[in-house]
Amino acid sequence: MKPGILDYLSTMPHFSFLTKDELDLAVSKAAIIHLPKGHSVSIQGKTRIENVLVIMKGQLSLYQDDKGRQELTGYIKKGEVFGGISVMLNAGNSLRTTKVDTEVTAISIPDTVVMELCAKNKAFYEYFLVNFSQNMFDKSLDAITRVAQARLFLAGVDPFTFLPEEEIDCAAKSLSHITYPKETVLFVQGKTRVGYLYILQKGAAERYYQENGQKKMREFLSDGDIYGGISMLLNDGLSVRTMEVVEPSAFWVLPSQVFLDLCRRHTAFCDFFSDTFGKRMLSRSYAAIIAKTLRPQEDNLQFFNQPLSQIYSRNPVFCEADVSIQAAAGVMARQKSSYAFIRATDPVQVGIVTEKDLSRKVIARGYPIDKPVGSIMSAPLRTISDKALVFEAMMTMMEEDFQHVGVVDANENIVGMLSNKDILAYQGQSPLFLLREIQISPDMDKIIEKHQQVTGLVRSLIHNGATAKNVTRFITAVADSILKKIMSFALDEAGPPPVPFVFMIMGSEGRQEQTLRTDQDNAIIYRDPKPAAAESVESYFRKLADRACTLLDQAGYDFCSGGVMAKNPQWCQPLSRWKAYFSDWIHAAEAEDLLQASIFFDFSHGYGQEALIVELRQHLFTALDGWSGFFRHMTENALNFKPPLGFFRNFVVESKGRHRNAFDIKSAMTPIVDFARVYALKNGIEETNTLERLDQLRIKKVISQQEYEELEKAYSFLMQLRFVRQITAVIDERIKPDNYINPKKLTHIEQTMLKEIFKRVEKFQSRMNFEFIGIA
């Protein structure tokens, strides 16, 4: 530590706002320097300020350069600071020409340290803003001609056009004018504070989000475009993105206090920023970026966010469908390839033959090798775009359970092949590797072990940019794989089923929207047996259901606290009984009769005879026809779930208990799930997944493209936050995953984003209320 520097800085009001650690940082990087009389410290607009000086002894003089003339504008004396405003507000470009009047002794602090202190400590930054920025920009602004120019410019720029004439006049008087050379980086995302609203008068600038050395969400600003409003209004003054001047540019700048005052007094002016912000933040790219509230210890799954071009095999091997199997095998051997794409007479029809096909379909069965290779090919060929990410390809292969996929370009031409071995070779501890391990697990101990790895993989996937939709796809694929394995264990013990059956999944699992905190919601439907066998068949399936649910609980899928499981005899019934259940719910007399039934309307196939699911769904839609009372009751129940937003747009949180000061984000998402369910059932849509239901509603024009985008992006953002919370609970807090979000622990951007979402959700609930209940 440097006691002389520490003692001096501790007496200064500027540094009194710093915490002990922040002050220690400044002192550790500071040095005492001496400047001789007459020394030129900076030249206005040309010198890059790399060190901020705190004057201990002596005096600096400041000059305004104006068309070759220098006008003395002030002094910096003992106890005052040189360079702070240039560093904080002008990208380090000197705002004044500065000379040493008398020999100066000063504490020199690197500009990077000052910027870090400003980012960490808003009070420190604002002290400089309030006390030292007056008249540091264009001193001649007071001239009547300059004010007139500023006023004329503002009058044509949105959202100033929303303001009364007198407000534009006042704002024009507060404007300053400043120019920047090409390649000036004015702001750095998350590190630079914004103290002015920047309005580009002439020139060009680029704003972007920088991640891993790459520019994302790039936008170019031209004349009249604005930067800084969102950062000041919604992100506590920290710059949301990086902004760089790409050609010599001139800006009008409006002080933050004037800007924020206009926002407080003029709703339309403020809404221009918040609403534009809301629309941008509801985009998938923004949501994915700001949802990364945790940083992983290792980026061990960064690979999965890479394009397929990193790993797929190029120079694909082709054979014609009418050549012999022997000839095709020869081509594969010469090319040292484990596969060959098979082209039929119709060039659009392409299949594939692999070494495994030759082994199983030809050698093992003694199939004649002189037969056409097209007779053993797998077709149609499954393909994926060469622009897709590795993760998307992996999820497609996991879900559809195939090992080879053709890679196609924009014109649907095959340019390569991707196999599961390509992915596994590139990343041993991958989600695909985990799924394969589950599929070959010999016992429950192995399944339990693999299921415990899911949380860590989900954390890595989220931190490496995977969207909530893809994460739920992964969790669902794991759950499906575990269910299939468990059902095989249970059937081995119980013996062959006496009649066809299906293990039906419901709730979040039925919607393919499982998170890390999901209990069991399942049932068994079996084909109606002959009356004489009814009792024995019922006994068989009750024992099977009890065993299956018990094994699922052991694997990590908790028993349902409400008893909605196949092991409950009420939910282990023949198809005729299930049809009666749904008819009773649809014809229910009161909304209360449906309160516990909504979970059943998200049913889907888990294991067994899918034909039973199809038949039950057909019965459901037939029974719904003409029963408007059902939709009224469903809507009444759905409206019981309100977004956690109070009358004054503050968050409604728990007031006591373990989750004090937090709200349940699962409940906050429920209105979107309910909206999609009610409208999907009304319009005969068979999909159960919320996002797929919304997409079908868009296709059927039940909702507009804009409404679809709002709902889809809102849902994805909420799900992303939900995953982050659950991962934090399990890995960092070492407790069971929960759904409780403390809004005070979110960033300003995330808080504002939630409020934007909740306001939009209220709008969609009002639509449901009007259309199904008749109350506007």
Side-chain angles (χ1 to χ4, degrees), residues 435-679:
L435 201 70
R436 296 286 182 246
E437 289 286 291
I438 291 172
Q439 291 171 347
I440 63 174
S441 294
D443 51 42
M444 283 301 300
D445 289 341
K446 196 69 173 178
I447 286 179
I448 293 168
E449 174 193 331
K450 294 305 171 186
H451 186 248
Q452 290 171 345
Q453 297 175 14
V454 170
T455 300
L457 280 170
V458 167
R459 175 179 179 141
S460 295
L461 289 170
I462 289 177
H463 289 314
N464 287 289
T467 63
K469 181 179 179 180
N470 277 335
V471 173
T472 52
R473 286 175 68 190
F474 166 60
I475 293 176
T476 297
V478 170
D480 288 347
S481 187
I482 289 177
L483 175 60
K484 288 181 174 62
K485 200 69 181 178
I486 281 175
M487 289 305 298
S488 70
F489 291 158
L491 285 166
D492 286 344
E493 295 180 24
V499 294
F501 81 101
V502 64
F503 193 87
M504 181 169 70
I505 52 178
M506 300 168 294
S508 60
E509 188 177 3
R511 295 192 305 272
Q512 299 179 348
E513 295 166 5
Q514 284 183 294
T515 63
L516 300 179
R517 181 182 175 85
T518 304
D519 58 6
Q520 293 184 47
D521 293 307
N522 50 52
I524 280 181
I525 305 174
Y526 55 89
R527 184 69 68 183
D528 284 72
K530 294 179 180 179
E535 188 174 335
S536 63
V537 170
E538 178 183 344
S539 176
Y540 172 89
F541 284 113
R542 286 190 179 182
K543 290 177 182 177
L544 177 68
D546 186 76
R547 186 58 178 153
C549 292
T550 300
L551 292 178
L552 284 169
D553 180 67
Q554 291 176 12
Y557 300 94
D558 295 343
F559 287 135
C560 174
S561 59
V564 182
M565 293 176 290
K567 71 192 298 287
N568 182 340
Q570 185 180 5
W571 311 125
C572 181
Q573 295 289 335
L575 180 60
S576 61
R577 182 65 248 169
W578 277 102
K579 289 181 178 179
Y581 282 154
F582 277 92
S583 294
D584 290 344
W585 289 324
I586 291 168
H587 303 154
E590 300 293 341
E592 289 79 2
D593 300 328
L594 270 174
L595 276 175
Q596 305 303 320
S598 61
I599 188 174
F600 292 94
F601 289 91
D602 296 334
F603 66 90
S604 62
H605 172 262
Y607 180 92
Q609 296 290 320
E610 191 167 3
L612 292 167
I613 293 291
V614 173
E615 190 172 338
L616 182 60
R617 202 177 305 281
Q618 289 173 345
H619 169 79
L620 166 63
F621 286 120
T622 299
L624 283 172
D625 189 30
W627 282 90
S628 59
F630 168 80
F631 295 105
R632 184 176 68 252
H633 294 334
M634 288 284 282
T635 300
E636 288 174 1
N637 290 332
L639 295 178
N640 289 327
F641 291 92
K642 297 292 185 183
L645 206 59
F647 184 77
F648 295 104
R649 296 304 178 193
N650 55 318
F651 292 108
V652 177
V653 296
E654 300 283 333
S655 59
K656 57 184 178 181
R658 177 185 168 193
H659 302 300
R660 185 181 179 187
N661 297 325
F663 66 85
D664 185 350
I665 196 168
K666 179 182 178 182
S667 294
M669 297 173 67
T670 298
I672 302 178
V673 175
D674 288 340
F675 179 93
R677 179 191 297 117
V678 170
Y679 279 94

Side-chain angles (χ1 to χ4, degrees), residues 160-174:
F160 292 91
T161 54
F162 306 158
L163 297 175
E165 294 290 326
E166 59 272 18
E167 291 284 23
I168 297 177
D169 290 338
C170 290
K173 294 176 183 177
S174 299

